[in-house]
Each structure stands twice: as structure tokens, then as C-alpha cells.
Amino acid sequence: MARGSSWQTMTVATSRYVVAYGVLILLSGVFLLPLLWMLSVSVQDVEGVFAQPFRWIPEQPRWENFREAVTMFPFGRYLANTTIITFSVVLLTLLSSSLVAYGFSRMRFRGRNLLFALCLSTMMLPGQVTMIPLYVAFARLGWVDTWYPLIVPALFGSPFYIFLLRQFFLTIPREYDEAAVLDGAGKLRIYWSIILHLARPALATVALFSFVGTWNDFFGPLIYINTPEKATLTLGLQMLKSQIVGTGTVQWHILMAASLLVMLPNVVVFFLAQKHFVKGLQMGGLRG
Amino acid sequence: MTHPFRTRLKRDVAGYAFIAPWLIGFVLLTAGPMAVSVYLSGTSWTMLSPPVPVGLANYETILVEDELFVTSLQNTLYYVAFSVPLCLVTSLILAIMLHQRLRGISVFRTIFFLPSITNMVAVSMLWLWVFNPEFGLLNALLELVGIEGPLWLQSETWAKPSLIIMSLWGVGGTMIVFLAALQGIPQELYEAADLDGAGRFRRLIHITLPMISPAMLFNLIIGVIGSFQVFTQAFVMTGTAQPGSEGGPNNATLFVVLYLYKKAFQEFRMGYASALAWILFFLILAVTLVQMRLSKRWVHYEAGER
């Protein structure tokens, strides 16, 4: 009797596990299939791409496709460009947003709450509204076809990151600040050597978001960069596609190989810092 | 008398010094450009000669005569109306699946989340080929079950659904927000429901959904705002190699932001494009306010939360 019931609960539990895993594996398959197929196409030869029926695993994987892809468009150049732009933006964003967040969370001054509300409300403004005047202004400055329009705005912080950092700074006990004051530290000193130090997890989250946003940015490079040598990976990939489609000989295996290479840094960064992504999204989602 | 005044002033100066980066940025990158945009939207300007004031003519033309704008608006509303609810439901189902105590659950979370942070241009290349009518993955799979697939992006009817299907692949971020909300539900609620003999379905309807309704509202609003601004996929995946052909076939994927981009950066009609931007802004604002209003009927905030 006792054995029977425990056996029964076991089968119920087991069948629930089987169903749960079954559904999860099925859904994962749906999500992964396009990526696996992309990988497969990227190592086919031209005949393989158009073969009917399609062979998922080619007899001779053509890894040269990746080498061809990086020679068909200046991949190294674009990678370097994107890296320089992204790292500048991330660094400036961290610095400026944390300074402002410190001001909003640790300093008392007249108009603070009003200004903070204003800061938050600008998050709602769609970029299209300011895009044209900014383009015109940058054009007047002679900055079109330079990286300045992509980097310089990071000097001024970003409302969403200011918000995230402020929320985190508020959780840091004031006792740390007070102890530092007793040691004769000024506000800047407290900001630099205490708050920034203790807020490293939040800074990591902001760095990640800023990294992904800048690395993936397409609209900015699209409207500001004209010279191919100055392009970023996203813009370069789009130009490669136009070039390939334009010539009529659609070399999909090369385009897929190139796209995979462009995706790769995101995937690497994601695996290095998965925790921070999830935490950051939760912070933004729950408190926003 | 002067002492408290001076310390207060000093405090103000120090505070403003810290927020100066944002404050300067607000004037230079937001408030200033907004004012200029209002001005430009009342002019005719192609950047070659000085702007010519035309009053409200741009707005009038857009709203009364411009058939392409009407098309782009219809396309955008279609996209928002289907993509947002489908994405919400999909991401909620995924989040509920992930909210189980199972070995290796983080592997599945990674798989569902990964596509959402990959590069949209590269993702668009992938899906461009997935949707290829002859050699694409989708029609190959459909053929396996005996269905002859449509022309997808090359078909006026199926181009928008194609982009909507693709948007489902990027629900990872929304899913994580739901997952966090699910994890925040106190376990006692479920235990109490168990004592009452509530089944799984009733627990979902009476506990889970009300408890995550704030996250639902957040995802809904962010989703609608984002979908109204759909651009990259349409720009990269549609049209031929010629610049200006984006948004095809026969303008089936001409969304408002794509139309705005073409006016501004292909035709350089900056006044007209500015007016378009403001119309888009008020549209998004109105829809968001309506959602906030309606949310009072279905979003439950726990008493005592914050």
C-alpha cells in the first residue's frame, strides 16, 4: 500500500518532468533552429546552399567561407571601428551617468526632484523628434561622416542609466559616506573611491547595456557615416548585403558567414556576463 | 544671516556641478532640438536654401493628402496590433515554462534570451534567408507537412506577417521581466490556494496573472512604443538593392519611421520629416496614455508595495 502510493507519486512526478522537459526542448528547438541553419548555410558551397533537399551537414564543410567573408568586406577594419566607438561610448556613459546619478542620490539642492522627474520624462521621448535637428546641428559642425555624432552624446549621460545607477546608489548605506567625511574626504572623493567602488555590480549592468546598445546600433551609423572605411559592423554588413544583392550572384553562404561573425561578439559578451543582463533587466522592469 | 544662505548656495552649486553633464545634455540634445524641430515642422526646407515658413501646411498635407503616410500608418498599426500581443503571450508562456525547479533550466533561459541581444542587422540577414520562398528554412519545413509556403517578404499579403513572426524570436527581454515578476510572487499565496483545492488553471487566473499585472503593463507599454518605431528589419530586409525601394513590396512594409527616414535622409525634406516625427510622437503619447488609463481596470498593485 505504502509502496504503491509512493510509486504512484513518483510516476506522476516523473511524467510531469517528462512533459516539462519535452515542451522546453521543443521550444528551444524552435528558437535554435534558425541559428543552426545559419551555421549550416555558412559552411556550404554555392551548390549546397541551393541543393534540394537541403543537407544540414555538408560532406565538406567550407570553413574558407569565413575567410572569404572577411576579405569581401573589411571585417577587421569594421571590427576595430566598432570597438573604438563602443568602448568610448561605454566609458563616457559610465562616467557621466554615474556623476549625475551621484548628484541626484547624494546631494541636496534646490530643484532636485523636479529635475530628476524631468530627466525621467525624457526617456519617453522618441528619438525621431530630436533626430533631424541633431543631424542638422552635427552637419553644421562638420561632424557628418565622422564618429563624433556617435560618441559625443555619451558625454552627457543617459536618463535610463542615470535612473538605474541612482536607484542602486540609494541602497548604499550613508554610513560609508559619513565615515569618509570624518577622514576628510570631499564629495568627489566619496563618489570616486566609495560609491563607484561599491556600485560595481550596477556599473557592470550599465556597461553591458551600453555596450550592446552601441555595438548593435544601426540607425546612428546609417545616417552619419558615408565613407565605407569609417563604417561599423552593422552598417558594413548592410553594405555587404546591398553589394551582394546588387551583383545578382547572391552568395548567401558568404553573407551568412559574415552575419555570424558580426553576431559573435554579442554572444561572447553575453556568456561572460549573463548574470548582469538578467539582473539589469529585472531592475529596470520592476522599478520602472 | 549670511551663513545659512551661503552654505545653501554652496550646496546648490555642488549639486548642480554633479548633474551638469545631464543638464547641459538636456539643453543641447533634447530641449534645444525639440524647439528646433517644432520650428522646422512649420517650414519647407531641403537644407540647401534657408527654411521657408509654411505654417501648418506640412501637417495638413500629411494628414489630408499624403496617401503614403496613411499606408505607413496602417502598416504600423497592423504591426503593433499583432506583434505586441503575440510577443506578450509568447514571452509569458516561456517565462512560466522557465519558472520551474528543474535541472539545467538556465540553459533553456539562455537559449530563449540569446536572440534578443544579437545584432538586428545580422538577425535580419538570417531571417531574410529563412523567408526565402524557394530555398528558405520556413518553406522547407512547411513542405515537410505538405504545405506550399507563401512568398513571405516578396508577397504583399505576407510581408508584414513575416516581420511579426520574426519579432517573436526576439522576446527574450520581455520574458526576463515576466520571469522576475513570477519569482517575486510569494509562495504562501499558492499554498493557500492549494488548501482551497484550486487547480492549476485557477491558480494561473486568480493568482499568477493578477500578481504579474504590473510587469504586464510595463511590457505592454515598452512593447507598443518599440513596435511603433519598427525600422531596421524593414529597412534591411525589404526592397531591392536600389536605395529608395525599401518598404516593399508595393509599400507593404513601409512603416512610419521608415517613411520618415526616407523623407529626411533620402529626399532631405527636413521640414516635412519633422512634422512626421511630431505626429508619431503624439500618436505614441496618446496610445500610451490610453493604456495607462485602461490599466487601472486590470493592473493590481499589492497594498503596501513601495
Side-chain angles (χ1 to χ4, degrees):
Chain A
M1 184 66 193
R3 241 190 78 187
S5 82
S6 82
W7 183 80
Q8 246 177 3
T9 47
M10 235 181 78
T11 42
V12 170
T14 317
S15 67
R16 267 194 58 195
Y17 274 126
V18 170
V19 171
Y21 276 118
V23 174
L24 279 169
I25 288 168
L26 195 76
L27 287 169
S28 309
V30 174
F31 268 76
L32 281 181
L33 206 60
L35 276 177
L36 293 175
W37 187 65
M38 184 186 203
L39 188 67
S40 172
V41 173
S42 72
V43 292
Q44 305 274 354
D45 52 21
V46 184
E47 288 82 50
V49 174
F50 298 107
Q52 302 270 29
F54 183 74
R55 294 174 70 127
W56 280 77
I57 300 166
E59 275 168 33
Q60 287 267 301
R62 269 179 57 101
W63 300 105
E64 309 93 275
N65 286 350
F66 288 94
R67 212 181 44 226
E68 255 178 71
V70 299
T71 48
M72 269 195 77
F73 76 133
F75 180 80
R77 183 64 170 271
Y78 294 158
L79 184 69
N81 292 353
T82 315
T83 307
I84 296 169
I85 293 170
T86 305
F87 277 84
S88 316
V89 168
V90 170
L91 210 68
L92 291 175
T93 299
L94 281 177
L95 212 64
S96 55
S97 299
S98 65
L99 262 175
V100 176
Y102 182 84
F104 277 132
S105 63
R106 281 298 202 269
M107 309 291 280
R108 312 183 79 185
F109 52 90
R110 274 170 285 186
R112 185 184 73 174
N113 294 343
L114 190 75
L115 286 172
F116 185 61
L118 191 64
C119 176
L120 289 187
S121 67
T122 59
M123 275 199 276
M124 311 283 171
L125 191 76
Q128 289 83 19
V129 169
T130 52
M131 170 180 94
I132 289 165
L134 283 177
Y135 178 83
V136 172
F138 287 136
R140 288 268 160 86
L141 287 170
W143 284 5
V144 168
D145 208 24
T146 73
W147 292 340
Y148 292 121
L150 307 177
I151 296 174
V152 170
L155 265 176
F156 304 102
S158 158
F160 179 58
Y161 303 140
I162 292 170
F163 169 71
L164 279 186
L165 289 173
R166 172 188 174 267
Q167 300 303 95
F168 194 88
F169 291 175
L170 287 177
T171 66
I172 299 174
R174 293 241 171 199
E175 284 78 43
Y176 288 106
D177 304 39
E178 284 152 17
V181 170
L182 290 180
D183 288 346
K187 292 284 178 196
L188 258 179
R189 187 68 195 283
I190 295 171
Y191 156 77
W192 187 254
S193 43
I194 295 177
I195 300 291
L196 283 194
H197 189 73
L198 291 172
R200 274 180 306 183
L203 290 172
T205 298
V206 169
L208 264 172
F209 279 168
S210 167
F211 174 89
V212 172
T214 314
W215 192 272
N216 289 349
D217 184 25
F218 177 61
F219 205 86
L222 177 68
I223 63 175
Y224 287 115
I225 307 296
N226 307 321
T227 314
E229 288 76 41
K230 294 177 186 166
T232 58
L233 281 172
T234 51
L235 186 60
L237 189 60
Q238 158 70 12
M239 296 195 304
L240 177 70
K241 180 225 152 194
S242 305
Q243 183 193 327
I244 283 180
V245 172
T247 53
T249 54
V250 184
Q251 293 163 301
W252 285 98
H253 51 309
I254 303 293
L255 192 59
M256 286 303 125
S259 301
L260 262 179
L261 288 174
V262 172
M263 281 183 183
L264 206 59
N266 297 42
V267 177
V268 172
V269 166
F270 173 74
F271 277 106
L272 288 178
Q274 208 186 142
K275 241 184 7 206
H276 292 292
F277 268 110
V278 173
K279 233 188 326 196
L281 271 171
Q282 293 173 347
M283 264 159 61
L286 291 181
R287 296 187 190 154
Chain B
M1 267 312 277
T2 58
H3 189 63
F5 173 76
R6 290 191 64 177
T7 42
R8 200 159 170 207
L9 191 70
K10 246 178 95 179
R11 259 183 15 192
D12 284 349
V13 169
Y16 278 90
F18 271 101
I19 66 159
W22 168 73
L23 206 55
I24 296 168
F26 173 73
V27 173
L28 292 181
L29 301 176
T30 306
M34 276 174 82
V36 174
S37 180
V38 172
Y39 164 72
L40 283 179
S41 75
T43 68
S44 171
W45 190 38
T46 53
M47 289 185 83
L48 295 173
S49 47
V52 181
V54 293
L56 292 173
N58 285 333
Y59 292 94
E60 209 183 308
T61 311
I62 293 167
L63 295 173
V64 181
E65 291 166 30
D66 193 341
E67 280 170 25
L68 268 183
F69 170 71
V70 176
T71 306
S72 75
L73 185 61
Q74 284 169 341
N75 288 337
T76 307
L77 292 175
Y78 180 115
Y79 182 81
V80 173
F82 285 98
S83 172
V84 174
L86 286 174
C87 283
L88 283 179
V89 171
T90 309
S91 56
L92 182 59
I93 291 173
L94 292 177
I96 290 175
M97 290 305 300
L98 288 178
H99 185 50
Q100 301 182 84
R101 284 223 189 117
L102 291 175
R103 233 170 218 273
I105 199 81
S106 64
V107 176
F108 295 108
R109 190 185 64 194
T110 303
I111 292 172
F112 298 147
F113 185 53
L114 199 58
S116 70
I117 59 138
T118 45
N119 192 301
M120 185 45 99
V121 179
V123 167
S124 298
M125 299 302 164
L126 160 60
W127 284 88
L128 193 56
W129 193 224
V130 167
F131 285 127
N132 184 288
E134 270 181 277
F135 308 103
L137 175 65
L138 198 54
N139 278 359
L141 291 177
L142 287 176
E143 211 180 283
L144 286 181
V145 290
I147 299 172
E148 198 188 325
L151 295 175
W152 297 113
L153 289 163
Q154 295 159 30
S155 145
E156 239 179 277
T157 327
W158 284 97
K160 277 187 289 290
S162 304
L163 296 182
I164 292 165
I165 291 172
M166 180 182 150
S167 74
L168 291 176
W169 202 54
V171 295
T174 319
M175 177 194 78
I176 294 288
V177 173
F178 276 136
L179 186 59
L182 288 171
Q183 285 162 350
I185 303 176
Q187 201 54 43
E188 299 89 70
L189 287 179
Y190 289 114
E191 284 159 14
D194 278 341
L195 289 177
D196 290 345
R200 293 185 102 185
F201 183 71
R202 278 186 56 200
R203 286 195 306 189
L204 178 73
I205 299 293
H206 294 290
I207 301 175
T208 310
L209 290 183
M211 288 301 287
I212 61 162
S213 56
M216 180 71 91
L217 178 66
F218 174 81
N219 279 336
L220 176 68
I221 287 179
I222 298 290
V224 168
I225 293 177
S227 303
F228 261 108
Q229 302 180 54
V230 55
F231 171 79
T232 304
Q233 306 90 302
F235 181 84
V236 173
M237 295 171 73
T238 65
T240 56
Q242 275 140 356
S245 69
E246 303 89 356
N250 196 17
N251 296 319
T253 57
L254 184 74
F255 298 112
V256 174
V257 175
L258 181 54
Y259 186 52
L260 197 164
Y261 167 84
K262 287 178 154 194
K263 284 286 171 221
F265 299 105
Q266 286 177 351
E267 299 173 25
F268 287 96
R269 292 179 61 185
M270 293 302 190
Y272 199 79
S274 297
L276 275 171
W278 280 107
I279 289 173
L280 177 70
F281 168 70
F282 282 111
L283 203 67
I284 293 177
L285 187 70
V287 172
T288 306
L289 289 178
V290 168
Q291 283 173 334
M292 301 278 254
R293 209 56 195 289
L294 292 177
S295 76
K296 287 186 185 128
R297 294 193 198 156
W298 60 270
V299 175
H300 298 256
Y301 289 103
E302 239 183 307
E305 192 185 82
R306 275 200 299 177

